[in-house]
Amino acid sequence: MRAFAVLLIIALGWLQYTLWFGKNGMADYAQVSNDVQLQEEVNQGLRNRNGQMFAEIDDLRKGSAAIEERARHELGMIKEGETFYRIIDENSEG
């Protein structure tokens, strides 16, 4: 009977060791949980960025105001009859 109790204690110790420190144990679970949380944060940032991009695409498809704004800002286009003024900061170089 004493040998059986020792065997059960050894088995319990081995099971506890594998639960906490073995492959797919609690340490691995904690690490994977942290990795999943970080990836969820990254994914949320990407979802937000994609939403902004889709909104801009819809705006460009539906209205000419966004196209005009882009043309003016990125290409420096000026409407006929407008006067263009460039304001240069005193502290800027170039």
Side-chain angles (χ1 to χ4, degrees):
M1 189 65 166
R2 185 173 186 108
F4 183 68
V6 170
L7 183 63
L8 284 178
I9 291 173
I10 290 172
L12 179 65
W14 177 73
L15 289 172
Q16 285 294 312
Y17 176 80
T18 57
L19 172 68
W20 293 101
F21 304 110
K23 182 180 178 187
N24 297 327
M26 294 304 287
D28 288 343
Y29 173 76
Q31 180 63 40
V32 169
S33 294
N34 289 338
D35 292 345
V36 167
Q37 184 179 7
L38 290 174
Q39 190 62 47
E40 284 293 331
E41 292 172 5
V42 169
N43 289 350
Q44 187 60 41
L46 293 174
R47 281 188 206 103
N48 292 341
R49 186 196 68 179
N50 288 347
Q52 291 172 349
M53 291 175 70
F54 285 130
E56 186 175 344
I57 289 169
D58 287 341
D59 193 28
L60 289 171
R61 284 185 181 163
K62 292 179 182 174
S64 61
I67 295 172
E68 181 180 343
E69 178 187 348
R70 258 192 187 224
R72 287 170 170 274
H73 180 67
E74 293 179 7
L75 302 175
M77 298 182 83
I78 303 168
K79 283 185 179 179
E80 192 172 317
E82 282 185 331
T83 304
F84 176 73
Y85 296 98
R86 175 173 279 172
I87 299 173
I88 300 175
D89 187 18
E90 294 176 356
N91 298 328
S92 67
E93 294 180 22

